[in-house]
Every structure is written in C-alpha cells, then in structure tokens.
C-alpha cells in the first residue's frame, strides 16, 4: 500500500538504496547509467550545497526501505532572462516495480513540485513520456521557445515538456521572441542522457 509510505528528503546515506532502486526500476541496461547519474548529481556541489532548485525526495515504507525517488536539479536558461527565472528539471523518477501503478510516482512528483513552488521555482522541465507527465501538469516546451540542451529526435519532440509554477512566466518569456536553451547541472548535461 503506497498510503503507508512516507515521503522525505534524501541524505548521502541513501545513495546505495537509490542505486538499488534505479536498477530495479530501470532494469539491467539503463539502471547502472541512472545509478551513476544519481551519484554524480547528488554529489555535485550545487545540488549537495542546498540550491533552492535542488530537491531529492524518497518514499520509504514502514520498515524504512526506499521504494520511490524523484530528483529535481537546477537548470539555467541561455540566454538568461531578466529578471531571472529560477528553474529545475525533474530527472529521474523511479518507483519499485512491486509498487508501480498505485499512485506513488504521481505523489512523489506532486510533492516535489509543491516544495519547489514554495522555494520560489518558476519553471520545471522534464524529458519523458507525455502520456504520464501531461497528467502531472507538464506540456510541450518548444512552443514557448525553450529548447533542450541536446537535440531530441523529431518523433519524440513532445517528450520535452515544461510546467510553470508561477502564473504568466511562460507568456512573459515567449513575448520577447527569444529562443532559449535549457542548460542542466553536471552529468545531466551529457548527451548520453538525452537519447531516445
Ligand atoms: C514511471 C514511473 C515512475 C511511474 O510510477 P508509478 O508509481 O508506477 O505511476 P503512478 O501510479 O503514479 O501512475 C500510474 C499511471 O501512469 C501510467 N504509467 C506508468 N508508467 C508509465 C510510463 N512509463 N509511461 C506512460 N505511462 C505510464 C500507468 O498507465 C498508470 O496509469 P493507469 O493507472 O491509468 O493505468 C514508474 O513506472 C517507474 O519507475 N518506471 C521505470 C522508470 C521510469 O521509466 N521512469 C520515468 C522516466 S525518468
């Protein structure tokens, strides 16, 4: 039952459990790469240093076992808008296969988005399945002139999505007609994480 899971911030001590979860959720091919990404991102000075757009939440069951995880890390818009637009990207999101399709992924993402809104975040990006993320409030980002750090195949263009946590921010950005690139923190900026 996912209602008995508690959502809390992760600490450095959770890293082995997060790697185990990544292997279970993403499988033997993608799992090791995601575990390496988590290691790199959670150890990155910007993320570990408590940046307001960095947020790592775990869902733990009654025994304290980590069964879900979501990570948000800061991104920069280039060229930078004035005034600044604090922004983050959601990646990755993982739920233990035994607990999937019970709403835990949604709960983790929604809790993270609420906390980011409270810490002044204006935009959150994601690269993922539109069928899943549109239900969480995301919509295609390209129409706002917001481009991913690395090109995405045209067939998957809708997978690049954004959500505004402050009213009017997307409209203000688009009004200037400037196309901006979304530059990620650390390893998430590497091309290998942007393939189909
Ligand atoms: C994607 C994931 C995090 C969703 O977590 P979850 O707790 O199972 O999802 P929820 O219970 O909140 O939502 C379930 C709904 O999303 C849909 N869904 C789940 N995974 C999906 C996916 N990969 N693509 C599209 N839809 C998906 C299901 O159809 C389900 O809808 P339904 O209840 O109408 O059948 C989880 O399936 C997972 O860990 N997958 C492997 C890792 C992964 O692909 N992560 C996302 C990329 S970063």
């Amino acid at each position: 039952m996912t209602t008995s899971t508690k959502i809390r911030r992760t600490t450095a001590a959770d890293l082995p459990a997060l790697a185990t979860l990544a292997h279970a959720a993403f499988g033997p091919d993608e799992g090791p790469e995601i575990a390496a990404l988590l290691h790199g991102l959670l150890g990155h000075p910007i993320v570990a240093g408590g940046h307001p757009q960095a947020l790592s939440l775990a869902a733990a069951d009654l025994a304290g076992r980590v069964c879900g995880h979501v990570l948000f890390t800061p991104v920069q818009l280039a060229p930078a808008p004035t005034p600044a637009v604090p922004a983050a990207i959601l990646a990755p999101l993982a739920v233990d296969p035994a607990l999937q399709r019970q709403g835990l992924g949604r709960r983790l993402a929604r809790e993270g988005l609420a906390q980011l809104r409270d810490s002044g975040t204006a935009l959150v990006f994601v690269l993922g399945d539109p069928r899943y993320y549109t239900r969480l409030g995301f919509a295609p980002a390209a129409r706002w002139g917001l481009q991913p750090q690395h090109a995405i195949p045209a067939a998957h263009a809708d997978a690049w999505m954004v959500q505004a946590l402050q009213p009017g921010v997307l409209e203000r950005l688009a009004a200037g007609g400037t196309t901006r690139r979304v530059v990620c923190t650390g390893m998430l900026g590497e091309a290998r994480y942007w393939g189909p």
Side-chain angles (χ1 to χ4, degrees), residues 141-168:
R143 62 176 287 217
W144 303 105
L146 298 166
Q147 302 293 340
Q149 186 163 357
H150 298 282
I152 292 166
H156 298 286
D158 278 0
W160 173 240
M161 291 175 279
V162 66
Q163 168 162 186
L165 299 182
Q166 293 173 5

Side-chain angles (χ1 to χ4, degrees), residues 29-69:
D29 291 341
E30 246 188 303
E33 261 202 287
I34 300 294
L37 175 68
L38 288 172
H39 190 268
L41 286 177
L42 291 169
H44 192 287
I46 289 180
V47 178
H51 191 286
Q53 276 66 58
L55 180 63
S56 175
L57 294 177
D61 66 16
L62 288 175
R65 193 184 63 94
V66 171
C67 50
H69 177 239

Side-chain angles (χ1 to χ4, degrees), residues 25-26 93-95 100-106 129 132-133 135:
F26 286 92
L93 171 64
V95 169
Q100 287 178 6
R101 298 193 161 215
Q102 296 176 43
L104 188 52
R106 243 182 324 244
D129 191 323
Y132 189 72
Y133 287 104
R135 288 206 228 166

